[in-house]
Amino acid sequence: MDYRLTDFLPTTKKELELRGWDEVDVILFSADAYVDHPSFGAAVIGRTLEAAGYRVAIVPQPDWHGDFRDFKKLGRPRLFFGVAPGCMDSMVNKYTANRRLRSEDAYSPDGRHDMRPEYPTIVYTKILKQLFPDVPVILGGIEASMRRLTHYDYWQDQLRPCILCDSGADMITYGMGEKTTLELARRLSEGERLRDIRDIPQTVYLARKEDIPGGIREDDIMLHSHEECLRNKRAQAENFRYIEEQSNMMHASRLLQGINGRFVVVNPPYPPMTTEELDASFDLPYTRLPHPKYKGKRIPAFEMIKFSVNIHRGCFGGCAFCTISAHQGKFITCRSKESILKEVKQVMQMPDFKGYLSDLGGPSANMYGMGGRNKNACEKCKRPSCIHPQICPNLDTNHQKLLDIYHAVDALPGIKKSFIGSGVRYDLLLYRSKDEAANRAAQQYTRELICRHVSGRLKVAPEHTSDRVLRLMRKPSFQQFYEFKRIFDRINREERLNQQLIPYFISSHPGCQEADMAELAVLTKELDFHLEQVQDFTPTPMTIATETWYTGFDPYTLEPVFSAKSPREKLAQRQYFFWYKPEERRHIEQSLRRIGRPDLIKKLYRK
């Protein structure tokens, strides 16, 4: 497929001239390379506005040093500047859990490290406000969404206020921003002033008490102020329970938080998108390619998803360390089969496509088509997870709709195999509901997944072996992993396959002690695993685990929770992943004696 330069959103003055434009309505600044693909947020927002008739330009990875020419080159937009700092939080993108620089920036050409600043949301906004003080700056993307209220910042090791305070921007559109951004553009286009626009769902703004529409209402939730959270960690923990519950409710309340004589006002989210709305977003005329300016350069994140197709939005897992439900919500919105097949056919037209889809999934591999049977119960539900501490009896866990998608895709001539690269929830596969059809579909899905959709290695995420730690993670008991492994091994034997199960684990999660990691080492050794997919817990803004880690309290029970924090404590936990390495043995034996568990030495080192 040959694309012209004008098939992409314009990024330079010359590209505006090619379209005959002398002015644009919205200019988006992105800290990622510009990849015109539905997995990249700036492209989605740009294409959504374009489809509604607005002129949109995008400035990817502007140079924030020197004379700021990248910020000036397209002039001032008619409506607003949008700052979309990237698909990942900039600090997670840049640093490991040990605060070391990552080996590459996956969203930059050739993985270069110098293409984005730390906290681009703040850096870009301050520059734009300096150059164009009267033009509204609207924040979107994961970095601003997850920093919409007082939050703990691991890299600065301090509590930070709403990012509007640090950046000087005018408004945040949080979560998946298509509807919010369109409504905002429409209202500004009709001549309303931004300071009068206070009622759009899924927006955040700063206001004095007298400027809050309707004043402080009875149904608003008043959080502890930023100043109170600085004084008292327990107040921060109490806040977070409300923040999490309201971001996962069908009909949420407005949240207010005092700071320095003003209030941060968080309007409730829109209801989940309909299938038609989600299809419309995915069916926009994306080229699915990096902008031609990157010709000859590799963008690692694009290479990873180039031959994959996203089939739904939302995740009801509610894992304590994950931001997906805070960003996309817990309710699943599915694309139609027609929309999915249309995109698969586009992938098949790509010149280097060899017949293998790398992933047919989403935030989770196997939640497509699932939701509450009784919608009225879902309308009132506050639970952040539909499957923890146990699977909600109202949840329809039938995998049949997902199987229908797999079958339709695999029947396309030219598709040799569709792999499932997203995380599979084996607790959904093992669940036995009262609906026998759902139970049969789960068994069929498990067999088809293992036989047809695994590229030799199936990755799953038990995350830990200790049920106490798993409860804090909101993950199922490790007994379920044993059960799934038995099924996996049996199907491999029956089908004469030689496939591996690759488990993911996390160390230093809140609640995890050294002895828990020592037992994890013994249990995974007994299962004959030499672990490779492992990580230290990284506190990221707006997760329940981060707030527990920082405050020392479980936000729901307010009971104290231990967390390993110092580099020495974290290393003491991490070493147990690598018990099989000869160089770790002496340290591990010393640690086991120190924590009073010399009994485990024999189990790890029988000789």
Side-chain angles (χ1 to χ4, degrees), residues 288 303-309 343-344 346-360 409-410 412-421 452-456:
R288 293 184 56 89
E303 295 301 323
M304 202 170 88
I305 56 91
K306 167 156 90 165
F307 302 133
S308 70
V309 173
E343 190 180 350
V344 171
Q346 268 187 288
V347 174
M348 290 164 68
Q349 298 303 312
M350 294 175 80
D352 45 352
F353 182 69
K354 304 283 194 295
Y356 298 97
L357 282 179
S358 60
D359 188 21
L360 194 57
V409 169
D410 289 348
L412 291 172
I415 292 290
K416 294 174 185 169
K417 201 161 187 178
S418 56
F419 295 116
I420 308 306
R452 298 187 195 168
H453 301 285
V454 176
S455 60

Side-chain angles (χ1 to χ4, degrees), residues 104 176 218 284 425 592:
E104 68 174 12
M176 306 303 273
E218 206 174 297
L284 294 168
R425 291 295 305 224
L592 288 170

Side-chain angles (χ1 to χ4, degrees), residues 12 69 149-150 183 228 307 369 580 599:
T12 62
R69 70 183 63 183
L149 288 153
T150 295
E183 178 63 8
E228 175 61 21
F307 302 133
Y580 54 87
D599 56 304

Side-chain angles (χ1 to χ4, degrees), residues 150 159 223-243 257 547-561:
T150 295
L159 220 51
L223 301 170
H224 295 295
S225 70
H226 177 69
E227 291 81 2
E228 175 61 21
C229 292
L230 287 173
R231 282 193 298 274
N232 177 3
K233 288 184 175 181
R234 188 178 165 122
Q236 174 68 8
E238 285 178 357
N239 273 2
F240 198 76
R241 173 177 185 168
Y242 292 108
I243 294 168
Q257 183 180 34
E547 300 303 331
T548 305
W549 192 89
Y550 164 71
T551 63
F553 297 102
D554 177 330
Y556 282 77
T557 64
L558 297 177
E559 288 172 1
V561 177

Side-chain angles (χ1 to χ4, degrees), residues 40-56:
F40 291 77
V44 174
I45 296 301
R47 289 296 189 185
T48 301
L49 286 165
E50 178 191 55
Y54 298 99
R55 293 180 173 187
V56 188

Side-chain angles (χ1 to χ4, degrees), residues 391-403:
I391 292 176
C392 174
N394 186 40
L395 182 66
D396 180 1
T397 58
N398 197 323
H399 284 73
Q400 191 56 54
K401 287 178 183 168
L402 184 52
L403 284 166

